[in-house]
Amino acid sequence: MTSQRIIQLVKEMTLEEKAAQLLQLAATFYEDGDGQITGPMESLGIGEMEVNNAGSVLGISEPEKIIQIQQAYLAKNRHGIPLLFMADIIHGFKTIFPIPLAMGSSWDLELAERSAEVAAKETAVSGVHVTFAPMADLVRDPRWGRVMESTGEDPYLNALFAGAMVRGFQGEDLTHEIERVAACVKHFAAYGLAEGGRDYNTVDLSERSLREYYLPAYKAALEEGCEMVMTSFNTIDSIPASGNRKLMRDLLRGEWGFDGVLISDWAAIGEMIPHGVAEDEREAALKAITAGVDIEMMTPTYVHHIPQLVSEGRVDEALVDEAVTRILELKEKLGLFDNPLRGADPEAAREVVYCDEHRRIAQELAAKSCVLLKNEGVLPLRREQKVAVIGPFAQSGDILGSWSWAGSQETALQLGAAMQKLASSDLITLAEGSDIISVSKQQLQQAEAAAQEADVIVLALGEASEMSGEASSRSNIQLPEAQLELIQAMKRLGKPIAVVLFNGRPLDLHGVIDQVDAVLEAWFPGSEGGAAVADLLYGVVNPSGKLTMSFPYTVGQIPVYYNHYNTGRPKPAEDTDEQYVSKYLDIPNAPLLPFGYGLSYTTFEYSSLELSSEVMTPEETIKVSVQIRNTGKVKGIETVQLYVRDISGEVVRPMRELKGFRKVELAPGEAARVVFELGEEQLRYYHSDLSFTSDAGKFEVFVGPNSRDTLQVGFRLNK
Ligand code: BGC
């Protein structure tokens, strides 16, 4: 129920003030140190009125500044409506957690939630009220730089992570918990399917696929009470999301009942003009407000045209009032009318931000996010070994990844330094080896000299952080040539080599995994990543991460994902020379490393997969149980994964669909029985008429350490 205060405010506001309330400006419009309003107003074609009445600001993170700006703004705003401060706090504020794709690899929902809670705390004391997270876009194309912002290719897992992040950011009660922030799930919808992996590109898919694969994670965020939604840049069914009435008004607001704030992505309303669905700003504004977008980020089409569109009768003023009301309600829920500074507290910020406790959690999550891809007897390192740590990431703080603008590369503990701390500095030699994309003779010579003395070579390689993230698509997803050359130079020395990879996307690992003895995927592990990786390399922590996005064999296979269809001419499991099957002539169909894959320093044996019954009914669930034993020499954590295949669907069903997972920690020799419960509800999916039901008939059940190497049983669903 809308409060009297807000009803009254909306009544008192002029149409121009209402339109301004819908505008979001970047920090540069307000930042000049004295709380005076300045900035590039001219370029946007707006004046003081708009700046003094804009409803929200994005991208500031210093509490002192936020306090100044809010106070200066309130002194000028005749209704006393406070500004909302928003920012992209994606994987941590100053304590930087691993990038979301890495976080996904942890399969640790509790820790992910905790990371969001920590991020919220640091954000809130710094004065920000809303974070533009979680990003819930399902991703299947590693050429797209923004895969680093997603938790991967599985709709079920993405939904769990999106929900966990919202809980962590928002807590239970945003009004009273001023150490939490409102969340904004993005980018609605299906931005992850950008054609060819090229950012901002077209998305085209059936409504059935949209609902089955792409929507569940956004929906899960909303089911946790996520306050805001952000539109995506792409088209859906040939209509840009920000003007897509069917998607926003009919589905999001109508069918799902979302009554929170919908914000456009940066300039996305204005971009309807180059997209080719609006002749000018005026038409763009008309389409966006009609579709249901409340806040316009960084284009001025609303402030320029909404008042006139209303006076001409093209837009019903009630639509504008609704949008303004939603924004004011969010401000009220955040307690801003009573306490416009909310959590902003420079002194508390100095204590809380990047504190030891937060860093400890970031280190734990980083360690759980790394994935051991290969290990032929090199890892863990022994502390008495002489190790040469070589490569562009041996002594680099560029391990935070994209979207970590409040973090600091300078304070991030570098891998080489962390290893020297853990072992002994005189046993660890450091060398550059190469830059990210270039290598000199001198660098190679120094690397060789360092390696000559060593028992083991650790190569710290990868992509610079700006090679993934927004607007960072790549068509070649191998390591840069210079680093492949470095691997070759090191290989000639004939010593054991372990590679640690720092990167934001699944890579084509040819020239790496086939050349060295061990590979640890560290992703961008965040501010405490150096220490986490050192712990893993020395076996202080046993790797337990599992990939949530397939690593392609080569780029030509993309998109390649585990939950694909079989086709009518599947390639037989054994190599045959059969010609007319679905295959490549030159590469395998399977990815190099499948979804769910990841090694440990111990081994786990799966056996006796059993079902409590071979028949399921809608009323009765069945139990799926498996025996798992630690057959190695050290304690380890295994993520046991449950997949299902519907053998005869009304529409074609994926070869495997993740339906559950459990983490078990086992001591050497220890065994456990892991039990999953499986019910008819979990077998439902969108049919061709978009009804969400299950099919009677035969199902296969798979359990194992990844989506490929599984045990199998079967049952029937009787309905
Ligand atoms: C990105 C969003 C982000 C926004 C605000 C856009 O370019 O697509 O993910 O939240 O900028 O910084």
Side-chain angles (χ1 to χ4, degrees), residues 24 58-59 87-88 90 131-133 135 146 149 184 186-187 191 199-200 230-233 264-267 297 403 405 470:
Q24 174 161 110
L58 87 153
D88 290 279
I90 309 297
T131 175
F132 294 134
M135 191 271 217
R146 302 197 78 166
E149 293 173 57
C184 174
K186 67 189 187 185
H187 308 82
Y191 183 26
D199 208 0
Y200 316 123
M230 186 187 290
T231 69
S232 55
F233 287 123
S264 80
D265 201 347
W266 182 290
M297 188 197 293
W403 294 113
W405 56 286
E470 186 173 350

Side-chain angles (χ1 to χ4, degrees), residues 204-215 236-237 246 251 255 686-690:
D204 203 4
L205 79 173
S206 70
E207 182 171 352
R208 213 201 60 74
S209 291
L210 175 71
R211 285 179 185 267
E212 177 160 359
Y213 301 106
Y214 291 87
L215 296 186
I236 287 275
D237 209 6
K246 190 171 164 204
L251 192 142
E255 191 182 324
Y686 287 98
H687 283 57
S688 57
D689 62 357
L690 302 182

Side-chain angles (χ1 to χ4, degrees), residues 92-169:
F93 180 81
K94 173 119 186 171
T95 304
I96 302 293
F97 293 90
I99 56 169
L101 189 59
M103 222 183 268
S105 309
S106 74
W107 298 59
D108 193 327
L109 299 167
E110 257 171 59
L111 209 48
E113 180 176 336
R114 189 91 180 84
S115 80
E117 187 185 342
V118 164
K121 196 166 178 175
E122 295 194 1
T123 305
V125 288
S126 302
V128 176
H129 311 130
V130 178
T131 175
F132 294 134
M135 191 271 217
D137 305 333
L138 183 133
V139 290
R140 291 174 169 176
D141 192 332
R143 292 171 298 182
W144 194 46
R146 302 197 78 166
V147 301
M148 54 80 50
E149 293 173 57
S150 166
T151 46
E153 72 191 33
D154 184 66
Y156 166 75
L157 198 60
N158 285 356
L160 292 175
F161 271 107
M165 294 304 281
V166 172
R167 284 196 298 279
F169 286 131

Side-chain angles (χ1 to χ4, degrees), residues 18 42 61 112 275 320 437 631 664 670 693:
K18 288 184 208 169
E42 226 171 291
S61 63
H275 265 300
V320 182
I437 52 168
T631 48
V664 278
E670 196 185 352
T693 53

